[in-house]
Amino acid sequence: MLIKNPKGWEIPESAATSESAYLNRRQLMKGAAAGTILAAAGPVLGGVAQAATEDDPSAHLYPVKQNLRYRLDRDLTPEKINSTYNNFYEFGSHKEIWRAAQRLPVRPWTVRIDGMVENEMEIGIDDLLAKMPLEERLYRHRCVEAWSMTIPWSGFELSHLIKMVQPLGSAKYVEFRTFVDKSFASGQRQFWYPWPYVEGLTMEEAMNEMTFMVTGTYGHPALPQHGAPIRIAVPWKYGFKSAKSIVSITFTDKRPKTFWEELQDAEYGFWANVNPAFDHPRWTQKTERVLGTDKRVPTLIYNGYGEFVADLYKDMPQDRALFI
Amino acid sequence: MIPWTDRSGRFSPFKLAILVALLLPGLYIGIGLATGTLGAKPIEVATHEIGLWTIRFLMITLAVTPLRVIAGWRRLIHVRRMLGVATFCYALIHLSLYVADQKFNLGRVASEIAVRFYLTIGFAGLVGLAMLAATSTDGAIRKLGKKWTLLHKAVYVIAMLGLAHFFIQSKIDVSEATVMAGIFVLLMAYRLAKRVKLKLTPGALTVIAVGIAALTAGLEVVWYASATGVDPARILQANLDFSFMVRPTWWVLGTGLAVVLVALVKGIDWSRLKRAPLEAAS
């Protein structure tokens, strides 16, 4: 009897794409209604995803070519699940914010890039999309709340944008800010929270190849609940590090004080690198519930992306602060 | 004893109504679990919902004695045991759902209970409720005599453990836990007033309602100031803003004022009101 132990990087057979399907992927994707991904989205969300994104001026850009360098060790999470279970405090502190989030106006949308850069700019999202090389990447997403999902993100590497604006040598950090507008974001009526949502990375982290600016999901423009029209994905850190619906990117020499650091720095710190060895005060981080399955699987250090990112931290103390 | 009969064995619609009301939330959550309408992490949602009903039922149980005194609803005593036992059952389901969510890995459940303080005290509360439920039979009440009353005073400690468990498990927003804590303090205030022989007139009850509502706002501020980075001044200020939610202090005030209303209604001499028109006619 042949027993096959898959290596960590091997994807399950069920997740593998046949060569013919891969070579014909554009045709497959364009036949959206028949496409496996949209079928997985199910009738409920299929409608939502279409309604939310069919008027989107960037709709024609998707789907984009998948970058096969980034592989998964598990199946993609069905879109219906990924799009109805989200943290987005701007729209409430429960997981079913997706309905409220449909009020997010994704156009017009401008992103301000400022601070310690040669080329400060305020750029419309569609102009930005035209300048950046779009690709699709399949990433794991590990929430600090011990659940995870896998998502086909579309977008571009943050490093491309950084090269475009040319930061000064004095820039040490990049700060991301989300919109503030309580007229449509009901959660922001909780004025006692430190809006806007602020997140930050070091320059080295921001330049890492894994750091990805997301503008699309599942082969179409990103849905509001995922942080349309532009968010970040930092897959080796807990999910809250990946700010949604970004309106400004600032280069600075001061470490940003993040939204969650301000609220509870002992539980949701600045570094927040995934590590099963350091528990959250109220739950274990050793395992994670994989959404869309009934599985609980071991959590991997740096969410399994150590080969890409572990070097960033090799000179730092490997203590709790780095992983909380 | 069958839960819908009274002590003489007669059918009691009142007791049946309470029994059905106690079963409904569990049934509703159970249907949600069975039909898959509880979202991507259904067992966790069910755990939280059942836990919320546990603490609600505990507060309703603790409301029996004050309401008997203030409203004169003597019959409430007939459902107190049922309320208490239901609280225990919900707490047990709450733990069972947690165990199911941990894939029945009892070793991990045990170590989590030992390591996480909020789980330790939650479990201690459940053990306490089990002890009270086990000694709630007629036989146990007779056998324990005066000791029974003393033993069942443990419910106050259990309530505090449950409330602490609720507060600590909350991510950042402790509004619901604060409402429950405020109502608990309100129910304790009625007991204290009785102990110091304060007459529970509508006036005195109003003072208690307003005082405990203010205390609730204070408690909330202390929590946010000590456990989070939220600006406590803003939490106080939030009590004047209704655009997002009705904040805990108002829920507690509303509960306290509802009790005042009950006392006022009780104070009305209905026989005189009914007679008045007749007198006018003659």
Side-chain angles (χ1 to χ4, degrees):
Chain A
M1 195 174 133
L2 177 71
I3 296 171
K4 190 168 170 253
N5 288 314
K7 302 273 191 315
W9 47 264
E10 281 185 283
I11 58 172
E13 285 296 321
S14 56
T17 309
S18 71
E19 192 181 348
S20 65
Y22 177 71
L23 295 172
N24 292 310
R25 62 196 179 278
R26 278 166 190 260
Q27 283 73 12
L28 276 176
M29 293 300 279
K30 280 182 176 149
T36 49
I37 289 171
L38 282 179
V44 178
L45 204 94
V48 174
Q50 271 164 17
T53 61
E54 69 188 3
D55 300 335
D56 191 299
S58 65
H60 66 281
L61 297 174
Y62 304 96
V64 290
K65 187 180 172 188
Q66 194 177 95
N67 185 335
L68 294 171
R69 183 169 159 80
Y70 310 100
R71 308 296 286 267
L72 291 176
D73 58 350
R74 55 192 83 161
D75 292 346
L76 275 179
T77 309
E79 185 176 19
K80 183 185 173 185
I81 286 168
N82 273 355
S83 306
T84 52
Y85 190 88
N86 311 91
N87 279 318
F88 202 166
Y89 269 54
E90 280 73 359
F91 294 99
S93 47
H94 51 88
K95 300 290 184 276
E96 293 78 40
I97 54 80
W98 66 275
R99 276 193 195 88
Q102 303 311 312
R103 298 187 63 200
L104 173 71
V106 296
R107 291 293 189 289
W109 193 278
T110 56
V111 180
R112 197 179 158 71
I113 305 166
D114 58 12
M116 298 173 162
V117 284
E118 293 284 351
N119 309 321
E120 273 201 4
M121 61 174 75
E122 196 158 336
I123 187 167
I125 183 69
D126 293 302
D127 295 334
L128 181 62
L129 284 169
K131 284 180 195 292
M132 292 290 131
L134 298 183
E135 59 180 72
E136 182 179 72
R137 294 185 181 185
L138 311 184
Y139 273 0
R140 289 183 293 273
H141 177 90
R142 171 61 159 78
C143 180
V144 71
E145 296 164 348
W147 53 263
S148 64
M149 36 174 77
T150 46
I151 317 181
W153 298 122
S154 302
F156 55 89
E157 230 174 85
L158 177 58
S159 65
H160 295 304
L161 182 146
I162 294 177
K163 282 171 202 147
M164 177 176 81
V165 297
Q166 295 183 26
L168 307 178
S170 48
K172 297 280 179 286
Y173 297 94
V174 191
E175 178 179 310
F176 306 89
R177 283 171 183 254
T178 298
F179 66 84
V180 182
D181 192 335
K182 63 182 177 187
S183 72
F184 60 82
S186 51
Q188 290 188 332
R189 291 186 204 140
Q190 299 168 93
F191 61 84
W192 47 97
Y193 293 147
W195 310 111
Y197 196 93
V198 172
E199 258 310 335
L201 298 171
T202 63
M203 276 301 290
E204 294 72 33
E205 290 173 334
M207 285 299 290
N208 186 276
E209 64 169 290
M210 291 303 298
T211 308
F212 199 56
M213 297 308 290
V214 172
T215 57
T217 51
Y218 292 88
H220 54 67
L223 302 179
Q225 58 268 45
H226 284 138
I230 184 165
R231 65 165 294 165
I232 191 168
V234 195
W236 72 93
K237 291 175 179 282
Y238 291 119
F240 66 87
K241 290 298 293 180
S242 298
K244 292 177 163 178
S245 303
I246 291 167
V247 294
S248 79
I249 301 172
T250 304
F251 293 80
T252 166
D253 56 357
K254 289 186 195 64
R255 194 171 104 175
K257 181 89 171 173
T258 69
F259 180 84
W260 279 109
E261 213 184 350
E262 190 131 317
L263 286 175
Q264 277 175 324
D265 58 351
E267 300 188 11
Y268 317 102
F270 176 80
W271 295 101
N273 293 303
V274 176
N275 187 338
F278 291 89
D279 283 355
H280 182 274
R282 280 175 282 131
W283 55 81
T284 173
Q285 299 288 30
K286 289 185 186 65
T287 60
E288 64 204 45
R289 163 62 52 91
V290 182
L291 295 191
T293 74
D294 60 356
K295 288 194 198 106
R296 204 173 248 286
V297 303
T299 289
L300 305 169
I301 188 163
Y302 297 114
N303 200 21
Y305 296 113
E307 59 176 307
F308 300 103
V309 300
D311 274 359
L312 290 169
Y313 312 104
K314 64 178 189 299
D315 299 328
M316 292 175 64
Q318 305 292 302
D319 61 7
R320 189 171 179 79
L322 190 57
F323 301 106
I324 288 291
Chain B
M1 199 166 81
I2 305 159
W4 51 83
T5 57
D6 64 17
R7 293 215 160 261
S8 58
R10 268 188 307 235
F11 171 69
S12 162
F14 173 58
K15 290 187 75 176
L16 180 67
I18 297 291
L19 178 69
V20 170
L22 288 170
L23 292 174
L24 280 179
L27 195 67
Y28 182 75
I29 296 159
I31 290 172
L33 261 185
T35 55
T37 54
L38 297 185
K41 286 204 297 180
I43 300 178
E44 189 181 288
V45 170
T47 309
H48 287 161
E49 289 293 309
I50 292 283
L52 189 57
W53 281 102
T54 306
I55 201 98
R56 283 174 183 162
F57 287 155
L58 186 54
M59 293 308 143
I60 292 171
T61 312
L62 290 174
V64 166
T65 300
L67 280 178
R68 288 184 75 219
V69 174
I70 295 163
W73 294 335
R74 316 303 293 183
R75 291 170 68 199
L76 282 179
I77 196 68
H78 300 310
V79 295
R80 190 175 66 176
R81 166 162 49 193
M82 192 164 29
L83 290 167
V85 172
T87 304
F88 164 67
C89 291
Y90 272 70
L92 193 62
I93 296 168
H94 179 62
L95 175 68
S96 308
L97 285 166
Y98 176 76
V99 173
D101 208 25
Q102 301 299 320
K103 299 270 157 219
F104 299 96
N105 184 337
L106 295 180
R108 185 167 56 216
V109 170
S111 78
E112 285 292 294
I113 288 173
V115 170
R116 319 277 166 212
F117 180 64
Y118 82 102
L119 293 180
T120 315
I121 60 177
F123 187 73
L126 174 64
V127 170
L129 284 174
M131 183 180 74
L132 301 192
T135 54
S136 68
T137 58
D138 288 345
I141 295 169
R142 262 196 308 275
K143 209 165 123 190
L144 289 166
K146 278 213 172 103
K147 273 189 261 171
W148 186 89
T149 317
L150 191 66
L151 177 68
H152 279 245
K153 285 210 191 307
V155 72
Y156 303 125
V157 179
I158 293 168
M160 284 188 266
L161 290 173
L163 286 167
H165 171 78
F166 195 176
F167 266 91
I168 303 171
Q169 72 84 38
S170 303
K171 189 164 176 182
I172 183 76
D173 185 343
V174 290
S175 300
E176 282 187 357
T178 308
V179 172
M180 288 299 137
I183 288 174
F184 175 69
V185 178
L186 189 66
L187 294 170
M188 292 299 107
Y190 298 142
R191 288 173 165 84
L192 183 70
K194 201 175 154 231
R195 176 151 289 198
V196 301
K197 305 223 167 14
L198 181 78
K199 201 154 185 284
L200 289 173
T201 60
L205 289 169
T206 308
V207 171
I208 291 176
V210 173
I212 301 302
L215 197 65
T216 304
L219 179 81
E220 191 182 32
V221 164
V222 169
W223 173 270
Y224 279 105
S226 57
T228 78
V230 178
D231 180 356
R234 287 192 171 207
I235 286 292
L236 261 188
Q237 202 189 333
N239 288 321
L240 302 176
D241 182 286
F242 296 89
S243 63
F244 183 74
M245 66 188 289
V246 177
R247 295 195 46 81
T249 182
W250 302 112
W251 285 104
V252 174
L253 182 68
T255 308
L257 292 180
V259 172
V260 173
L261 199 66
V262 164
L264 281 172
V265 171
K266 183 205 164 201
I268 297 170
D269 187 345
W270 297 99
S271 57
R272 275 188 59 177
L273 277 185
K274 274 180 209 148
R275 210 159 40 228
L278 287 173
E279 281 167 8
S282 66

